[in-house]
Amino acid sequence: MNNKNVKLPDWYYRRKYPLYGKLRGFFQGNWMTKLIMGLTVAVYLVEFLISGSFNISGQVLELLGARWNPDILAGEWWRLFTPIFLHVTIYHIAFNMAALMYAGTIVEEVYGPFKFLLIYLFSGFCGNLVSTFFKANAISAGASTSLFGLFAVIALLQVVSGFKHQFKEISKTALVLIVSNLIFNLFMPSVDIAGHLGGLLGGALSVVLWSPKGIRWHAIRDVLGTIVALVIII
């Protein structure tokens, strides 16, 4: 009898190959969120080793890829993405990683890991792009641009056909968090509110670009109307 084509059960591989079991368990959860969190923490440890302090200097941030307009104008376009993974203090990264664990888990569950990654990067890009026009003389870093994009996605799920009932309460919670944070930003001159607004715009556009195929076109009218309203308010 030829057993070459017999498919062995998953528990067999997990028992025989422990590493397989660990990797299998990792990729069954919201693994992209965990991967981004791990990468961000690793980058902060590099910042700490170079700076010698948990309060990272502007020089180190600029060296590792923070948004700094003169460098972007010199052709270093990747600085519209790399600031997403940089943080200034241990409190900064702790708060953002807690927010990422909450929002990332929800968005990844709805959109899947790869669309979630696109949303995260696109929102961060939009936030940093807007920031270049309104915070031209400042060095900016932090995942907040991407996080505001994720919260915008969650807030808009209640206006997207197919998601209205399932996400009604959690979307309202996200909307409250967005509004309260923006109000708080007004009293904190050091906070890049332009980047946060750009991240919100990126998240809103992401709902149109990467919503699940079955509801994408039904979402466009509602989402575009919401974006127009937000632009008018801003």
Side-chain angles (χ1 to χ4, degrees):
M1 181 178 177
N2 187 358
N3 294 324
K4 289 183 178 180
N5 297 322
V6 175
K7 184 177 180 180
L8 295 171
D10 192 63
W11 61 261
Y12 172 83
Y13 290 106
R14 289 201 302 269
R15 180 177 295 179
K16 188 171 182 179
Y17 307 106
L19 181 60
Y20 168 85
K22 292 180 180 179
L23 289 173
R24 180 84 172 180
F26 177 83
F27 285 104
Q28 282 180 338
N30 297 300
W31 62 271
M32 186 62 77
T33 299
K34 297 174 186 175
L35 189 63
I36 292 173
M37 289 178 66
L39 177 60
T40 305
V41 171
V43 170
Y44 182 72
L45 291 176
V46 172
E47 293 178 60
F48 169 73
L49 291 174
I50 296 175
S51 183
S53 170
F54 286 113
N55 295 318
I56 313 302
S57 67
Q59 184 179 4
V60 171
L61 291 171
E62 193 269 339
L63 174 68
L64 294 178
R67 185 198 62 75
W68 176 232
N69 278 14
D71 291 333
I72 294 173
L73 292 173
E76 298 181 6
W77 54 267
W78 57 84
R79 289 180 182 271
L80 296 173
F81 292 98
T82 49
I84 304 167
F85 301 98
L86 298 169
H87 289 83
V88 182
T89 68
I90 194 167
Y91 303 106
H92 189 202
I93 189 172
F95 178 83
N96 279 352
M97 291 305 96
L100 176 57
M101 174 61 79
Y102 170 74
T105 299
I106 296 170
V107 176
E108 186 176 354
E109 189 73 29
V110 174
Y111 286 87
F114 298 107
K115 283 186 178 180
F116 162 70
L117 178 61
L118 284 173
I119 292 169
Y120 191 79
L121 294 176
F122 181 69
S123 298
F125 167 80
C126 289
N128 287 312
L129 183 63
V130 171
S131 184
T132 61
F133 294 100
F134 294 95
K135 282 277 188 177
N137 298 318
I139 293 177
S140 295
S144 301
T145 50
S146 292
L147 293 173
F148 267 84
L150 297 183
F151 279 114
V153 171
I154 297 171
L156 288 171
L157 286 177
Q158 68 174 331
V159 301
V160 174
S161 300
F163 288 146
K164 287 183 178 179
H165 302 294
Q166 298 93 320
F167 290 93
K168 186 175 182 180
E169 293 303 319
I170 203 166
S171 293
K172 288 180 179 178
T173 301
L175 187 60
V176 170
L177 287 171
I178 290 170
V179 173
S180 59
N181 271 279
L182 288 177
I183 292 173
F184 178 74
N185 290 172
L186 294 174
F187 300 96
M188 297 289 290
S190 61
V191 174
D192 186 2
I193 190 171
H196 294 173
L197 291 172
L200 282 175
L201 179 62
L205 290 172
S206 295
V207 174
V208 176
L209 295 172
W210 294 300
S211 284
K213 188 179 294 184
I215 65 166
R216 181 179 302 148
W217 299 114
H218 297 287
I220 287 180
R221 183 186 62 190
D222 291 336
V223 174
L224 285 180
T226 305
I227 292 173
V228 170
L230 286 173
V231 170
I232 292 172
I233 292 170
I234 293 168

